[in-house]
């Protein structure tokens, strides 16, 4: 009975669903700005979804809705049928931001261990070590963020996002501030980590190539107010590796989506 | 806009709360007989016979503080310019400023009392106190120009003068404006403490005499008057500071 | 053995040496009466003749000022943390706190002396007052200046408010605390001196006041010199603390 209930929760506990979601921001007295309009899509359990779109289209707003940081003006946002805040209260969301959000006074290791303390749990040292290993920064565990390169900071941030064994991973342009070479290498790492254990993931990104390489589904959004232009399944076999980056089919899809993105960027 | 309005409203509510607490503490004697209610102090200031005394004292102190403020800020900025334009001098001048800044105003007041004529003493003390503040903030501002700007002007082959006029001076103005604002209360402190040593009139002697003679109402009225002139100067200079920050920092 | 430290000292402190030399020449060449101003050598001889007296007075002033600094900083931090839970209360308290900072607080010490009576507690209270307000406003804003994204991170993790306070908010305010200590370190010594001087209770302020009333200028200037040394040392110590912590807690 307990096992059955557990299995049922595990079944679709972390599927993401956005139903006809709109978001208005209040700019000034009486004036509002519509950031999102009629956003409606699903991310099935244990799949990887990437959201791309022109700057300011509300991509990050989608992520903030799923993190429970923002309430929709209209429509419904759920994770496994529940409100994101309820899932956050159970500490099952992992998140990484573009500006890494590491605490500058803690070492890399302490930053990875931080979520345990933040939710009042005992630090699982073995898990922290395993994650430092997984993202390849075990040798820099004692360094502070100020002593690390941008790429290494993002590795720490990814390890931190994974440390509580989240059911949902939210990645907000985590590699947006990195150079192209580091970015590609980290994409390969994320792909490897994700292949070992598939977590329901939403990635917000500028890079079409990154989206196609990592995701099962790419959602293309239009210029503000953000609407969905296209939902594109990506069916390349997993695990994916460097060879995919050279494949003609990969480039054809990237070109196709880039064209869709350019069309979406034209101001109405 | 609305956020700003909310903040101002909260601040004013807090101010009202402070005045109510002041009044209550005085009314019910929570803090002893030396704490009069606000209304009594305000009524004391408003009474015609006291108003003449207080306004004479306040205008004297304000005049001394203003003269000291003007002299001190000009001298402070000038020394900061020398320090920046003659780099070898900068190091020693900075240490010097730190040390002179450590001389307590009360010491300056007494030292100047034997050297300068009594009427001038408060002005000198105020100007010295302001001098350090402006020297420090102007130096920080002149040295704080963005490095990218220096590189750009060097690549363009700009002269030293152009670099100074186009880059360092505009970059320093917000810091100078900030220093001027913070110097308002410092100038008043300098003037009042200077008065303690040499003057018979002004807010300084009024405060000390009222303290020694248990004239509680007069003591509080003089303190409140001193606080008000300093606050008004601070607020007026705050407008200048914000304008400078808007113009030169894009805030 | 090595001439460099000496040369470094001259390079760093040449304005001070220049002023001391000029002062000595002025006194000797101008035949200035000792009652008007003592020479630096006379001040030095005065301190050398009564080292225990000046050390005891300096120690007493330093002790009360340090007590005031610690109490004022603790109170300022505590109130800022309490108000962190309510932005409204912070907003209400910030305007009065800033306004009080814009008043000539040091010069208004006669009010405090009358309120609390002529004893040591008043000296400490003066140092507390001068420390409290800047500490409160700096910490209150420091508690809201979090590294970008970290507040969202704690939110998404479902962290409790107290955990966020302990792990994120309090450490974020450390740079503000260090700035507050730097500002207050010299200020609290000045406040203690002024209170001691006004009431003639103890420490350097009293030594200064009694020497002054005896027209013993060498002793008065000696007290002032010791006060300056203590004040500069306190400032330098707080600066060093700030620099040491900057690596770990970048502003």
């Amino acid at each position: 009975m307990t096992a059955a209930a557990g299995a049922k929760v595990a079944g679709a506990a972390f599927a993401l669903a956005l139903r006809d979601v709109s978001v208005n921001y209040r700019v000034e007295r009486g004036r509002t700005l519509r950031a999102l309009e009629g956003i409606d899509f699903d991310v099935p359990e244990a799949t990887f979804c990437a959201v791309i779109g022109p700057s300011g289209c509300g991509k990050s707003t989608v992520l903030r809705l799923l993190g429970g940081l923002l309430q929709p003006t209209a429509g419904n946002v759920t994770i496994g049928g529940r409100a994101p805040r309820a899932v956050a209260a159970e500490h099952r969301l992992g998140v990484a931001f573009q500006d890494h959000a590491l605490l500058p006074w803690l070492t890399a290791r302490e930053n990875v261990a931080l979520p345990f303390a933040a939710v009042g749990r005992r630090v699982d040292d073995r898990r922290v070590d395993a994650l430092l290993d997984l993202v390849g920064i075990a040798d820099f565990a004692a360094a502070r963020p100020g002593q690390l390169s941008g790429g290494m900071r993002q590795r720490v941030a990814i390890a931190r996002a994974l440390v509580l064994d989240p059911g949902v991973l939210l990645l907000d342009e985590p590699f947006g501030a990195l150079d192209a070479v580091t970015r590609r290498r980290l994409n390969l790492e994320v792909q490897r980590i994700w292949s070992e254990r598939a977590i329901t993931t939403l990635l917000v990104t500028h890079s079409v190539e990154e989206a196609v390489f990592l995701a099962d589904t790419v959602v293309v959004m239009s210029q503000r107010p953000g609407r969905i232009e296209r939902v594109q399944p990506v069916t390349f076999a997993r695990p994916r590796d460097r060879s995919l980056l050279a494949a003609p089919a990969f480039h054809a899809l990237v070109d196709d989506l880039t064209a869709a993105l350019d069309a979406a960027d034209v101001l109405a | 806009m609305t956020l700003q309005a909310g903040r101002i409203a909260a601040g004013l509510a807090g101010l009202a709360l402070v005045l109510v607490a002041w009044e209550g503490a005085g009314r019910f004697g929570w803090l002893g007989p030396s704490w009069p209610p606000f209304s009594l102090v305000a009524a004391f200031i408003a009474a015609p016979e006291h108003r003449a005394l207080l306004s004479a004292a306040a205008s004297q102190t304000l005049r001394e503080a203003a003269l000291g403020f003007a002299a001190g800020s000009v001298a402070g900025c000038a020394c900061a310019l020398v320090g920046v334009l003659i780099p070898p001098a900068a190091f020693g001048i900075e240490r010097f400023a730190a040390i002179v800044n450590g001389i307590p105003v009360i010491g300056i007041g007494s030292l100047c009392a034997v050297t300068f004529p009594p009427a001038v003493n408060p002005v000198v003390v105020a100007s010295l106190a302001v001098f350090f503040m402006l020297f420090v903030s102007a130096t920080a501002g002149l040295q704080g120009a963005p490095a990218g700007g220096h590189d750009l002007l060097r690549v363009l082959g700009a002269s030293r003068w152009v670099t100074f006029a186009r880059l360092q001076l505009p970059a320093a103005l917000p810091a100078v404006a900030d220093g001027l604002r913070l110097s308002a209360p410092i100038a008043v402190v300098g003037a009042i403490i200077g008065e303690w040593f040499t003057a018979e009139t002004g807010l300084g002697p009024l405060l000390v005499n009222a303290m020694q003679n248990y004239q509680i109402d007069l003591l509080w009225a003089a303190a409140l008057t001193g606080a008000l002139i300093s606050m008004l100067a601070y607020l007026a200079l705050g407008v200048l500071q914000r304008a400078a920050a808007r113009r030169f920092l894009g805030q | 053995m090595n001439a460099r430290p000496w040369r470094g000292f001259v390079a760093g402190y040449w304005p001070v040496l220049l002023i001391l030399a000029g002062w000595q020449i002025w006194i000797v060449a101008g035949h200035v009466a000792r009652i008007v101003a003592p020479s630096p050598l006379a001040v030095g001889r005065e301190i050398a003749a009564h080292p225990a007296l000046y050390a005891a007075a300096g120690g007493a002033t330093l002790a009360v000022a340090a007590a005031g600094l610690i109490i004022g900083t603790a109170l300022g931090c505590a109130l800022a943390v309490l108000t962190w839970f309510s932005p409204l209360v912070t907003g209400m308290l910030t305007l009065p706190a800033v306004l009080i900072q814009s008043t000539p607080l040091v010069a208004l010490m006669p009010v405090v002396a009358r309120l609390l009576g002529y004893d040591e507690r008043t000296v400490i209270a003066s140092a507390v007052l001068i420390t409290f307000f800047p500490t409160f406003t700096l910490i209150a804003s420091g508690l809201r200046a979090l590294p970008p994204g970290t507040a969202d991170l704690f939110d998404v993790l479902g962290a409790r408010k107290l955990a966020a306070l302990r792990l994120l908010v309090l450490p974020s305010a450390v740079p503000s605390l260090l700035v507050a200590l730097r500002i207050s370190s010299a200020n609290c010594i000045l406040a203690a001196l002024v209170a001691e001087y006004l009431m003639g209770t103890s420490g350097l302020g009293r030594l200064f006041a009694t020497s002054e009333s005896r027209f013993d200028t060498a002793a008065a200037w000696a007290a002032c010199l010791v006060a300056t040394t203590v004040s500069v040392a306190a400032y330098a110590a707080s600066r060093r603390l700030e620099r040491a912590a900057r690596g770990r807690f970048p502003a």
Side-chain angles (χ1 to χ4, degrees), chain B residues 55-153:
Chain B
S55 67
S59 65
Q60 184 191 331
T61 302
L62 188 59
R63 196 169 51 239
E64 293 157 356
L67 282 173
F69 181 85
S73 47
V74 168
C77 290
C79 277
L81 279 182
V82 170
V84 170
L85 295 178
I86 310 170
F91 189 56
I93 285 185
E94 234 175 86
R95 291 276 174 88
F96 174 62
I99 289 174
V100 182
N101 204 11
I103 301 178
V105 193
I106 187 114
I108 298 174
S110 124
L111 304 192
C112 295
V114 288
T115 318
F116 295 97
V120 183
N121 190 43
V123 178
V124 174
V125 180
S127 68
L128 280 173
V130 170
F131 168 81
F132 308 132
M133 187 74 215
L134 259 293
F135 175 78
V136 171
S137 49
T139 303
L142 286 167
Q143 290 172 342
H150 278 288
D151 293 345
L152 174 71
L153 288 172

Side-chain angles (χ1 to χ4, degrees), chain B residues 151-250:
Chain B
D151 293 345
L152 174 71
L153 288 172
R154 198 167 308 136
V155 170
L156 291 174
S159 70
R160 179 140 197 181
W161 166 248
V162 169
T163 307
F164 171 73
R166 292 289 160 118
L167 178 68
Q168 290 183 294
L169 198 60
L173 286 179
V176 170
D178 207 29
L180 286 175
R181 183 177 59 126
L182 293 173
S183 294
I186 292 177
V188 180
V189 167
I192 289 180
I193 289 186
E195 286 170 354
W196 286 353
F197 292 96
T198 51
E200 302 288 324
T201 53
L203 285 176
L206 211 56
L207 280 165
V208 173
N209 293 338
M211 171 185 81
Q212 284 165 350
N213 302 331
Y214 282 92
Q215 292 164 296
I216 303 298
D217 295 345
L218 181 62
L219 175 63
W220 280 82
L224 188 61
T225 309
L228 277 177
I229 58 173
S230 174
M231 256 182 231
L232 290 177
Y234 183 86
L235 290 177
L237 290 163
V239 174
L240 178 77
Q241 184 258 335
R242 260 189 300 269
R246 240 197 326 274
R247 172 71 179 77
F248 295 105
L249 294 178

Side-chain angles (χ1 to χ4, degrees), chain A residues 64 67 69 85 88-89 91 93 95 97 99 101-106 110 114-115 117-120 144 160 164 170, chain C residues 147-160 163-164 166-173 247-250:
Chain A
R64 295 179 66 80
L69 296 169
R85 288 228 60 94
H91 322 307
L93 301 181
V95 67
F97 300 103
D99 43 15
L102 299 180
L103 302 189
W105 54 86
L106 299 181
E110 289 165 339
L114 176 74
V119 306
R144 290 188 210 290
R160 184 178 61 185
L164 291 184
L170 302 171
Chain C
T150 50
D152 285 347
L153 172 79
F154 274 70
D155 232 11
V156 172
L157 284 173
R160 275 181 293 271
R166 183 169 56 88
L167 296 167
L168 173 63
V169 174
L170 288 181
S172 299
R248 184 149 180 204
F249 293 95

Side-chain angles (χ1 to χ4, degrees), chain A residues 103-153:
Chain A
L103 302 189
W105 54 86
L106 299 181
T107 63
R109 192 174 194 289
E110 289 165 339
N111 264 296
V112 174
L114 176 74
F116 284 112
V119 306
R121 284 190 203 158
R122 262 197 54 200
V123 176
D124 182 345
D125 286 313
R126 278 172 47 203
R127 174 140 186 94
V128 173
D129 288 330
L131 277 166
L132 287 167
D133 252 350
L134 184 69
V135 299
I137 44 164
D139 292 343
F140 302 96
R144 290 188 210 290
Q147 301 162 312
L148 297 174
S149 69
M152 290 204 275
R153 285 181 210 160

